[in-house]
Amino acid sequence: MLYVIGTPIGNLSDLSKRAVETLSSVDIVFAEDTRTALNLLNSQGIKKPCKSYYKDNEKTASESIIECLLNGNNVALISEAGMPCISDPGAVVIKKIIQKELPFEIIQGPTALIHGLIASGFSGGSFYFHGFLPHKEKEKIKEIKTLLNIKAPVIFYESPYRVKETLNILLDYFPAPIAVTREATKVYEETIFIISKEDIENITVKGEFVITVNNSLEDINETNNSLSLNYDHIIKELLSENISSKDILKMMKTLGMKRNEAYNLINKLSM
């Protein structure tokens, strides 16, 4: 049997009793990061051989797992944190096992995407999980544009090295606020809401990030219906009071306008 096991995303106390019992019973553990895996096993007093299963060796490691199963061994598959297959390796071996009609079992564990969605307070109905965006700016923008028609909260993962760049781009295309959850389940966990690009500069760039944008049609309609906003009229009034375009842009984003739409409308009305 292959056991696909969810592991803590930060707090070791989130490791379930069932996961501990299963890790104690298997013959071998395949892990995205063997060092992290050994630390996890040692914290529970479990001594098991660990082999690598990560993005660059998924195909060969999958064959090794199949071989172990055919030899009568029980195998555990874990990622560095969270659930295998969710923006982590694992899908390749699952597909092979299904094709070969071999048995596998999923042992649930924490996932950062659900944590981030709940922490955002955005719509609790439908949502879309996108995971990581491309590293290069042009490719990132191209991919973000394909998501604009999804009328539901959209969830991204991002590293500390690219989070500011990603947030700056997302703020150009999605309505504010954008929820950013950092260090989920850890001591310094926090969720902040980004309204302006100035807010982005105040982010502590440490740990992994879950970014949730609220593109929910329900929430957008609710906001528009309850406020009955006439953006043209509001912007004209603000311009007549000699308020700067930069400040008006912030106000429009706070009221639910997308940044690029607000920017274009302000430029049009200020001519």
Side-chain angles (χ1 to χ4, degrees), residues 19 21 63 71 73 91 132 146 155 183-184 211 227 245 263 270:
E21 290 173 348
E63 293 299 332
N71 288 334
N73 294 304
F132 288 97
T146 68
I155 306 167
E183 298 280 75
I211 301 170
L227 295 178
S245 296
Y263 180 83
S270 61

Side-chain angles (χ1 to χ4, degrees), residues 8-14 110-112 115 181-190:
I9 57 177
N11 191 324
L12 281 178
S13 297
D14 290 337
T111 54
H115 193 107
T181 299
R182 182 181 72 86
E183 298 280 75
T185 79
K186 298 180 182 179
V187 175
Y188 297 106
E189 174 187 340
E190 64 174 349

Side-chain angles (χ1 to χ4, degrees), residues 200-245:
I200 297 172
E201 295 307 313
N202 296 324
I203 290 176
T204 301
V205 184
K206 185 178 180 181
E208 298 298 319
F209 291 81
V210 181
I211 301 170
T212 309
V213 299
N214 191 13
N215 211 38
S216 170
L217 184 61
E218 177 184 342
D219 289 342
I220 291 170
N221 287 340
E222 182 179 336
T223 299
N224 290 341
N225 290 337
S226 62
L227 295 178
S228 300
L229 295 179
N230 183 328
Y231 293 123
D232 291 56
H233 177 72
I234 293 171
I235 291 173
K236 285 178 182 177
E237 288 295 317
L238 293 171
L239 287 169
S240 69
E241 296 293 331
N242 294 320
I243 296 174
S244 71
S245 296

Side-chain angles (χ1 to χ4, degrees), residues 127-167:
F127 66 88
Y128 175 80
F129 173 62
H130 189 78
F132 288 97
L133 288 161
H135 292 183
K136 294 182 179 179
E137 183 178 356
K138 287 185 178 180
E139 294 176 5
K140 188 176 294 187
I141 293 172
K142 182 179 179 181
E143 200 157 298
I144 286 171
K145 286 181 178 179
T146 68
L147 305 174
L148 295 177
N149 289 328
I150 298 174
K151 298 306 177 185
V154 182
I155 306 167
F156 303 91
Y157 285 165
E158 193 52 278
S159 78
Y161 308 107
R162 291 178 294 276
V163 67
K164 287 189 175 182
E165 176 191 66
T166 297
L167 284 170

